[in-house]
Amino acid sequence: MTVILLALALWPGSAQAGLPTDQIKATVDKALGVLRDPRLKSPARVKERREQLKQILFARFDFTEMARRALGSNWRRRTAKEQEDFVRLFTEVLERSYADIIESYTDEKIIYTNERIDGTYADVGSRIQTSRGEEYSLNYKAHLVGNEWKVYDVVAENVSLVNNYRSQFNRVIAHESYEELVRRLKDKSELNGVTRR
């Protein structure tokens, strides 16, 4: 699971329109600049650093698409208001859960290995090499929205982030209810101190 979470440090953000890999790399470089900035390393600057990372990294997430895919067939059973609320809650939980993981970056080397475009969908492959000689594969799934590639899933070591959530969500809904899933996500969000909008 840690490998999957580490992948979020590489999500694409603002970049000029172009190939998916170009957009991802431009964003990664910008995010790494924040993580390496000595002025933002002190505990007193944690909030500022996280806000900068949020602006860079989360701008490229297609949270609506991620939430829709994570709920699977249950998405269509929800009202428009329920869908909107679920996207907001899902975003909050992801944002809070992965903040510490993103900041755990310690100069791992990132290598982009391949890119496959099929119409308005793309897969971008990469590898992370750690200072201890370990290597992890990451695959980004994106779709074209306007002239920007929006990421809706990341596959780390052949494990899909969205599929992982879908399995968990389906299990809760099947054994209990959609309302129970929402309650658990709210509890997780509030437990982690997310300020609700």
Side-chain angles (χ1 to χ4, degrees):
M1 189 64 178
T2 301
V3 175
I4 296 174
L5 306 185
L6 179 62
L8 290 179
L10 309 175
W11 288 78
S14 299
Q16 294 299 313
L19 296 176
T21 303
D22 293 339
Q23 294 190 4
I24 290 173
K25 186 177 186 310
T27 300
V28 169
D29 291 345
K30 192 172 180 183
L32 295 183
V34 171
L35 291 171
R36 291 170 178 156
D37 187 342
R39 296 170 301 172
L40 297 173
K41 288 188 181 291
S42 73
R45 305 288 290 275
V46 168
K47 186 174 180 182
E48 180 183 351
R49 182 175 66 242
R50 289 190 174 184
E51 186 58 34
Q52 287 190 31
L53 286 170
K54 177 182 170 183
Q55 295 301 318
I56 295 166
L57 300 173
F58 284 71
R60 188 69 61 176
F61 276 85
D62 188 338
F63 282 112
T64 299
E65 185 68 10
M66 289 179 73
R68 184 183 72 77
R69 288 171 180 263
L71 271 184
S73 60
N74 290 291
W75 176 261
R76 294 189 301 276
R77 300 187 183 109
R78 312 302 359 140
T79 67
K81 178 69 166 65
E82 286 175 326
Q83 291 174 351
E84 180 184 336
D85 289 345
F86 186 82
V87 170
R88 177 186 46 74
L89 188 57
F90 185 66
T91 303
E92 289 175 355
V93 170
L94 280 177
E95 175 186 332
R96 190 64 182 183
S97 296
Y98 301 141
D100 291 336
I101 302 298
I102 291 169
E103 293 177 334
S104 70
Y105 172 81
T106 55
D107 282 333
E108 285 84 1
K109 186 177 182 182
I110 303 158
I111 301 168
Y112 299 93
T113 56
N114 58 71
E115 175 182 275
R116 190 177 82 244
I117 300 175
D118 183 9
T120 58
Y121 289 87
D123 287 338
V124 174
S126 71
R127 295 196 316 270
I128 295 179
Q129 294 178 341
T130 72
S131 57
R132 296 189 302 273
E134 299 166 324
E135 187 169 292
Y136 304 105
S137 65
L138 293 174
N139 184 49
Y140 303 91
K141 294 185 174 293
H143 64 152
L144 195 59
V145 178
N147 62 359
E148 297 183 350
W149 291 95
K150 297 280 189 177
V151 174
Y152 62 83
D153 195 11
V154 61
V155 180
E157 292 290 285
N158 297 316
V159 178
S160 159
L161 180 73
V162 167
N163 289 349
N164 193 10
Y165 273 111
R166 183 162 55 238
S167 295
Q168 295 177 46
F169 293 169
N170 283 344
R171 199 160 40 245
V172 174
I173 292 170
H175 291 99
E176 303 198 43
S177 65
Y178 173 76
E179 290 71 25
E180 173 61 15
L181 172 63
V182 169
R183 186 193 68 74
R184 290 187 188 186
L185 289 175
K186 283 180 179 175
D187 285 350
K188 184 174 179 64
S189 175
E190 289 163 2
L191 180 67
N192 285 327
V194 172
T195 302
R196 304 190 60 75
R197 300 177 201 34

